[in-house]
Amino acid sequence: MQSFFVEMLTCTPLSPCVPHIYTSPLSFSPHSLQKMAIFLCFLFFLISSATACDRCVHHTKVAYFSKASALSSGACGYGSLALGFYGGHLAAGVASLFKDGAGCGACFQIRCKNTTLCSRAGTTVILTDLNRNNQTDFVLSSRAFTAMANKGMGQQILKLGLVDVEYKRVLCNYKKQNLAIRVEEMSQKPHYLAIKVLYQGGQTEIVGMDVAQVDSSRWTYMTRNYGAIWDTSNVPSGPLQLRFVVTGGYDGKWVWAKKVLPADWKVGETYDAGVQISDIAQEPCYPCDNENWN
């Protein structure tokens, strides 16, 4: 009897397992090996789904900048607008959190581990810059840093300068504020359009963007210039619609903003996208965090 072995090549949470059978010196029948491959594939998906979590807790140290302006003028390109995000609770994140700009606007709940000095809830920050120092996952604005402390202990935590913390990605909640699009000053109508995405809700990243004239199906892709800024040199005429590819669940989805920019869009103006993102992009960890930090 000819013998076989099985190699599963395309077994991921987003695509089916495909078992491939090859000859081998081992003595197993093709039928039994196919059954084994199906079982292993099923086991893989059980493990994948069991470890895909809405919340995962991570541990690191954080430091702070004395001036929030150092974070607002950073790699995400928010500028002075960032000072109004989450009460000035800003953060620079390492490359794995910054994600080449896709992590801009992400929200994280951070609390320090010194229970005498710090509150159980900690504080929520928004990522506005890239932290190039890999000794800490975050550098916070001083306002965010002191917000981790118990009442009356803000100065004590500032004196430490560096503290051990735990953190998790959380939903950004702008209440009744929709996603907004700001036309950047470097735009040159009608040949070049650069926009900045503001007030991105949910717990996702925008990983792709297209633009088209309203009621048209001729979409033009936009590219990430840097941070939260996207651009194109192929600008459709007339009023413009946008569609975004965002991460959600363990996969992704389209979000369609049907009427965003008017035909007479202007540099420096901010426009309501008419939609908001509320999805959660899951991440693998075990165990999942289901605790409310409050």
Side-chain angles (χ1 to χ4, degrees):
M1 178 174 59
Q2 191 177 24
S3 54
F4 301 82
F5 71 90
V6 174
E7 181 184 20
M8 289 183 295
L9 297 179
T10 55
C11 191
T12 73
L14 304 183
S15 62
C17 297
V18 180
H20 299 277
I21 302 177
Y22 302 90
T23 59
S24 164
L26 300 176
S27 297
F28 297 99
S29 70
H31 179 68
S32 62
L33 286 171
Q34 283 181 330
K35 289 174 66 177
M36 184 185 300
I38 293 169
F39 170 75
L40 290 173
C41 187
F42 176 71
L43 181 62
F44 174 85
F45 278 108
L46 281 179
I47 294 171
S48 298
S49 61
T51 57
C53 303
D54 289 352
R55 307 279 186 277
C56 293
V57 177
H58 307 275
H59 303 270
T60 186
K61 296 178 183 292
V62 299
Y64 71 93
F65 279 119
S66 57
K67 293 184 178 179
S69 58
L71 296 171
S72 65
S73 59
C76 287
Y78 291 125
S80 60
L81 291 171
L83 297 175
F85 298 159
Y86 275 80
H89 291 195
L90 312 180
V94 289
S96 60
L97 300 173
F98 183 75
K99 301 178 180 179
D100 294 324
C104 289
C107 294
F108 299 87
Q109 189 173 4
I110 305 177
R111 65 182 183 184
C112 79
K113 295 181 180 180
N114 184 331
T115 55
T116 301
L117 184 61
C118 299
S119 70
R120 176 178 169 80
T123 188
T124 299
V125 301
I126 181 171
L127 196 149
T128 59
D129 197 3
L130 171 63
N131 173 24
R132 293 175 173 84
N133 181 353
N134 289 324
Q135 295 180 350
T136 66
D137 283 8
F138 294 102
V139 178
L140 307 182
S141 62
S142 58
R143 183 174 294 183
F145 197 81
T146 56
M148 293 188 295
N150 285 317
K151 187 176 181 180
M153 294 187 175
Q155 290 304 310
Q156 286 93 319
I157 194 173
L158 283 177
K159 290 177 182 178
L160 293 178
L162 185 71
V163 294
D164 292 305
V165 301
E166 54 186 358
Y167 70 90
K168 57 185 175 181
R169 180 87 183 265
V170 295
L171 289 161
C172 292
N173 185 0
Y174 292 102
K175 298 180 180 178
K176 295 182 179 180
Q177 171 74 57
N178 284 331
L179 198 70
I181 302 298
R182 184 182 189 275
V183 179
E184 294 297 279
E185 279 74 10
M186 54 186 169
S187 297
Q188 297 180 359
K189 193 175 184 178
H191 307 294
Y192 176 70
L193 174 65
I195 61 175
K196 178 160 53 192
V197 180
L198 301 171
Y199 312 119
Q200 180 182 335
Q203 190 177 313
T204 66
E205 288 96 35
I206 294 176
V207 295
M209 190 182 303
D210 294 335
V211 61
Q213 188 180 95
V214 171
D215 296 328
S216 170
S217 59
R218 298 181 63 181
W219 292 94
T220 298
Y221 73 90
M222 302 187 74
T223 56
R224 189 186 300 278
N225 185 298
Y226 74 96
I229 296 174
W230 295 75
D231 64 3
T232 181
S233 296
N234 187 13
V235 186
S237 60
L240 301 179
Q241 58 179 327
L242 295 170
R243 63 182 183 184
F244 313 93
V245 181
V246 302
T247 54
Y250 216 75
D251 200 344
K253 63 177 289 186
W254 287 99
V255 174
W256 185 12
K258 297 182 179 181
K259 292 182 180 180
V260 182
L261 301 184
D264 61 343
W265 54 264
K266 294 179 175 58
V267 167
E269 292 293 317
T270 300
Y271 299 94
D272 189 326
V275 295
Q276 185 52 279
I277 300 169
S278 58
D279 297 86
I280 294 177
Q282 295 181 317
E283 56 181 313
C285 64
Y286 182 82
C288 296
D289 176 71
N290 297 312
E291 180 186 358
N292 289 322
W293 293 0
N294 50 37

